[in-house]
Amino acid sequence: MASALKPKTAWTHIARYWPMLVFGGVMLVVTNGLALVVPWLLGRVINALQGTDPAAEIPLLAVLMIAAALGQALSRIASRVSLFNAARKAEYDLRSELFSHLLTLDGEYFRHHPTGDVMSRLTNDVQTVRALWGPGILNLVNTSFLFVAAAVLMVGIDLELTLWAIIPYPSVVILGRVFGRRLYHRSRAVQDQLGHLSASLQEDLTGIGVIKAYTAERQRRGVFRRLSERLLDANMELTKVRGQLIPVLGSLASVGLVIVLWVGGKKVINKEIDLGQMIQFSAYLGLLVWPTMALGWMLSLVQRGLASWHRIEQVLAAKPTIVSGPGPDLDLEKARGDLEVRDLTIAINDRNILDGVTLRCAPGTMTALVGRTGSGKSTLVEALCRLIDIPDGTVFIDGRDVNELSLQNLRGAIGYAPQEAFLFSTTIAENIKFGFPDKYANGESHERMGWAADAAGLGRDLSALPDAADTVVGERGITLSGGQRQRVALARAISAEPRVLILDDSLSSVDAETERDILARLTEVMRGRTSILISHRVAVVRRADQIAVMDQGRIVEVGTHDELLAAGGVYEELYRTQIDSQVLATEMATAEAES
C-alpha cells in the first residue's frame, strides 16, 4: 500500500542506482570523446600527407588512432554494462514492488481487472520500461553529448560552415515533438491490445476443459485470431510511424552533409580552410548522422516506455478498499473465538446482499448456516474474515471490532476453507503447509501436515497416489478430483489450528456419507474452537449447537435442529424437501433394480 502513496515517476526506480548511472555516463563521455579525437587525428594525417616529411608524423598519428579506437571500445563496453545492469536492477525492484502491491489489493480490484491484463503489465510493460531505462538513457546521454561536443568543435573550425551544416537540425526538434505524440498513442494502443490478448488467452487456458466439453475450439480460435489481428494492426500502426520517422531524420542528416560538401568545398578552394580541416569537419558531421537517425528509434523507445509506465502507474495508484486496523491486536494464544454480528448490512449495486444480520457464535460452539442458494451465507462468512469491506461496529471477535484489528492478526485467528478450493501447482504437502508457513521445524511440520490430512479424510487418497503427500497436483490442482481438492483445502485450513474454523460448503464435492465421516473426524479438531459450518445438506448440520437459517440476506430462524423442525419454517421446508428427494431417489433405484 505504501507504494501507492508515494509519488513516483518513470525515473524513480532507476534513480536509486545513480552511482552506476554516473559511472556509465562518464564512460559514455569518454567513449564519445575518443570518437571525436579520431577525426582530429585524421585531419592531422591529411595535413601530414601534404607536408614535406609524412613519415615523421603519420606512424605516431596511426598509433594514437589505434589507441583511441581501443579505448573507445573498452569504455563503450563499460558504459553499457553499467547502464544496462542498473536498468536490470531497477526492473527487478519495480517488478517486486508491483507484485508486493498487488498482494495488498483485495478481491474488488481483481474482479474489475482481468488476470491476463494484470500479468501483461507485470511482465511486458515492465520490460518495456526497462528498455526506456537502459538503451533509452544510453542513447539520450550519447546523443546529447555528441551533438554539443561536435557542434563546439565544428564552430572552432569555421562558424559559417557550422551554421550552414545545422540548417536542417531545427526540423529534427519539430518532427520529434510531432512524431513523439503519435508514437505515444500508438504505443499505448499496442500495450492495451496486448493486455486484452493476454487476458483472453489466460481465460481460455484456465477454462480449456469447458471449451473441449462444448466443442467450442473453433469459436475460441476465432476470438484469439481477432484479438491477434487487432494487436497486429496496432503494431503495424506503430511501425508505420517509426518507419516514417527514421528515414526522415536520416534524410535531414544527409542534407546537412551535402551542404557541408558544397559550402566547405568552396572554402577549401578559396583557401579559407585547409583540406585537413574539411575532412575533420566532415567526420564530425558524419558522427552526427547515426545519432540523428537513432533519435527516431530513441523517441519510439521513450514514448513506448512512458506508455507502459502509465499502465504500471495505474496499478501502483490502486488502493485496497480493505485496510488493516490500527490495533492493538488480539493475543492469538489467548483468543476465545467469541464471534458476534450486529445489524450487518452489505449492499452491492444497490442490492442488499446482507440485510440487518445479527448473530452470536459462542466460544467453542458449532454454528451451522443453511439456506437456499443466494441467501447470503458465503457473503456472511467472507465478512467475518474481512474478505469484503464491512461497516464499523458490525462484526466483533472477543468483543473487539474486527475493523480495529490488523488483517494479518484477524485472519491468523480464522481458518477458512471456501467452497471453491484453490490449490497451488506444487505438492499436496506444500499446499497443506501453506496454512502454517515457517511455523514449525521440518519434522514438526511434516507431522502436522499428516495430522491435518488425516483429519480432512485424505489418508486413503494419499496412500493411493504414486508419491503420497509429495504428489504434485498440477495447476490449480487439476490432477485431483473435486472432492480431493476440497479436502486438501480443508486440511490447509485446520493445519494452522485457528481459534475460529469456517467451512463454507467445503465438502460439497463429496457424497453425503463421506461428508458425515469427515465431519466425525473433525469433531476432535473442532472441540474447544468456534466453528461455522455451511452445508447444503440439512441432515449433516443437525448436530450443530445452533443452526441459523438465512433467506434473502436475512437470518430468519435460529435454533437447534429439533426446535427449527417444530417451528415449521424455512428450515423445516428445506429439511422435508431433501428428505423427499432422498426417498424418491431410493424408490427409483429400487424400481430400477427390480426391473
Side-chain angles (χ1 to χ4, degrees):
M1 183 174 63
S3 62
L5 300 178
K6 296 178 182 178
K8 294 182 181 297
T9 70
W11 309 103
T12 300
H13 292 79
I14 191 66
R16 299 170 185 168
Y17 299 97
W18 64 266
M20 299 178 71
L21 297 179
V22 170
F23 177 77
V26 170
M27 287 298 98
L28 270 179
V29 170
V30 172
T31 300
N32 288 302
L34 292 172
L36 293 169
V37 166
V38 174
W40 181 81
L41 292 172
L42 183 59
R44 302 287 76 74
V45 168
I46 297 299
N47 290 335
L49 287 172
Q50 294 176 326
T52 57
D53 189 13
E57 298 184 54
I58 290 179
L60 177 60
L61 293 172
V63 170
L64 291 175
M65 290 178 70
I66 293 173
L70 289 175
Q72 184 180 357
L74 293 176
S75 59
R76 189 185 301 276
I77 291 172
S79 68
R80 277 156 174 72
V81 168
S82 184
L83 292 176
F84 290 173
N85 280 354
R88 290 288 185 185
K89 290 176 181 291
E91 177 191 16
Y92 171 83
D93 292 344
L94 176 58
R95 201 186 304 277
S96 299
E97 182 178 339
L98 261 175
F99 183 71
S100 298
H101 183 67
L102 286 171
L103 292 179
T104 69
L105 301 178
D106 41 66
E108 185 68 20
Y109 177 85
F110 296 100
R111 278 192 288 270
H112 293 88
H113 296 82
T115 302
D117 182 62
V118 174
M119 290 177 61
S120 178
R121 297 177 192 230
L122 196 61
T123 53
N124 298 312
D125 285 316
V126 172
Q127 290 176 353
T128 305
V129 171
R130 188 252 302 161
L132 165 66
W133 290 333
I137 291 178
L138 185 144
N139 282 280
L140 180 64
V141 175
N142 192 59
T143 302
S144 301
F145 175 81
L146 201 56
F147 267 103
V148 173
V152 170
L153 292 172
M154 287 190 296
V155 168
I157 295 173
D158 191 283
L159 176 60
E160 181 186 357
L161 185 58
T162 303
L163 294 176
W164 278 103
I166 64 173
I167 285 177
Y169 285 92
S171 304
V172 173
V173 178
I174 299 173
L175 287 171
R177 294 180 62 88
V178 173
F179 277 91
R181 288 192 293 268
R182 294 174 62 190
L183 284 168
Y184 174 82
H185 293 300
R186 299 294 191 278
S187 298
R188 184 64 184 265
V190 167
Q191 298 305 111
D192 287 342
Q193 287 300 328
L194 185 58
H196 296 326
L197 179 62
S198 299
S200 177
L201 180 58
Q202 188 271 339
E203 187 177 59
D204 286 347
L205 293 178
T206 302
I208 190 67
V210 177
I211 292 174
K212 289 184 174 295
Y214 286 89
T215 63
E217 292 91 342
R218 179 180 298 179
Q219 175 190 354
R220 298 311 301 171
R221 276 198 301 269
V223 172
F224 182 80
R225 185 180 297 110
R226 287 193 296 274
L227 290 174
S228 297
E229 288 173 351
R230 291 176 187 171
L231 178 58
L232 174 62
D233 292 341
N235 270 304
M236 289 303 297
E237 290 299 318
L238 175 61
T239 302
K240 288 177 183 177
V241 177
R242 292 174 59 182
Q244 295 167 9
L245 179 58
I246 295 176
V248 168
L249 294 180
S251 299
L252 289 174
S254 299
V255 168
L257 189 57
V258 170
I259 292 174
V260 166
L261 290 175
W262 177 259
V263 178
K266 287 184 177 181
K267 284 182 174 289
V268 171
I269 293 172
N270 295 331
K271 306 297 184 179
E272 297 178 32
I273 59 174
D274 58 43
L275 181 60
Q277 289 177 313
M278 175 61 184
I279 298 296
Q280 184 179 341
F281 191 97
S282 300
Y284 288 145
L285 191 62
L287 289 175
L288 301 183
V289 172
W290 166 246
T292 304
M293 294 178 64
L295 185 62
W297 174 73
M298 188 181 72
L299 283 172
S300 174
L301 203 65
V302 169
Q303 294 302 333
R304 189 164 187 173
L306 291 176
S308 290
W309 169 255
H310 290 150
R311 282 167 49 85
I312 292 172
E313 197 175 33
Q314 290 175 345
V315 178
L316 292 175
K319 297 181 180 179
T321 56
I322 303 172
V323 297
S324 287
D329 289 334
L330 290 172
D331 184 346
L332 296 183
E333 297 296 329
K334 299 179 180 179
R336 296 178 295 118
D338 186 359
L339 288 178
E340 186 176 2
V341 182
R342 302 177 188 169
D343 195 25
L344 174 61
T345 297
I346 294 177
I348 299 178
N349 296 329
D350 298 326
R351 185 173 73 90
N352 285 348
I353 307 300
L354 296 179
D355 190 2
V357 172
T358 297
L359 179 68
R360 179 163 185 264
C361 304
T365 62
M366 178 191 291
T367 298
L369 292 178
V370 298
R372 300 181 179 90
T373 301
S375 58
K377 304 184 296 296
S378 294
T379 303
L380 177 56
V381 296
E382 287 178 355
L384 297 178
C385 304
R386 286 199 70 198
L387 295 177
I388 56 177
D389 198 22
I390 58 175
D392 292 336
T394 54
V395 179
F396 299 83
I397 180 170
D398 289 355
R400 296 283 305 282
D401 188 340
V402 296
N403 283 350
E404 296 178 356
L405 305 176
S406 70
L407 293 175
Q408 184 175 5
N409 180 251
L410 171 64
R411 293 168 184 171
I414 298 174
Y416 176 47
Q419 181 178 356
E420 297 295 330
F422 180 90
L423 301 185
F424 295 91
S425 182
T426 182
T427 64
I428 293 175
E430 290 300 321
N431 270 288
I432 296 175
K433 292 177 183 178
F434 197 79
F436 54 92
D438 306 322
K439 190 175 181 180
Y440 300 96
N442 287 338
E444 295 175 311
S445 174
H446 186 75
E447 181 181 344
R448 179 155 298 278
M449 183 277 302
W451 165 78
D454 289 338
L458 273 171
R460 185 186 306 172
D461 298 86
L462 293 181
S463 62
L465 292 172
D467 297 314
D470 292 324
T471 301
V472 177
V473 300
E475 186 178 6
R476 298 175 180 263
I478 194 172
T479 60
L480 302 181
S481 68
Q484 288 172 328
R485 287 197 295 271
Q486 284 192 327
R487 280 175 284 163
V488 172
L490 174 60
R492 180 168 60 201
I494 65 179
S495 66
E497 292 191 297
R499 298 309 307 158
V500 178
L501 182 62
I502 299 176
L503 308 182
D504 182 5
D505 215 0
S506 54
L507 295 174
S508 59
S509 294
V510 302
D511 58 79
E513 183 179 350
T514 303
E515 183 176 23
R516 284 193 294 270
D517 178 61
I518 293 174
L519 289 175
R521 291 170 180 266
L522 290 177
T523 300
E524 183 63 29
V525 176
M526 293 179 176
R527 184 172 292 119
R529 305 180 194 282
T530 305
S531 304
I532 297 178
L533 173 65
I534 297 177
S535 178
H536 65 284
R537 300 185 181 110
V538 177
V540 172
V541 302
R542 60 192 303 168
R543 293 185 178 86
D545 295 297
Q546 68 172 349
I547 301 172
V549 184
M550 298 194 67
D551 190 42
Q552 297 182 354
R554 296 173 175 269
I555 292 183
V556 294
E557 297 174 318
V558 178
T560 64
H561 172 74
D562 293 334
E563 291 171 346
L564 294 177
L565 282 182
V570 175
Y571 181 83
E572 193 269 345
E573 180 184 346
L574 292 172
Y575 183 77
R576 296 303 175 195
T577 300
Q578 288 195 13
I579 292 298
D580 291 343
S581 299
Q582 293 172 6
V583 170
L584 179 60
T586 302
E587 291 177 349
M588 291 178 64
T590 302
E592 184 177 347
E594 292 176 350
S595 61

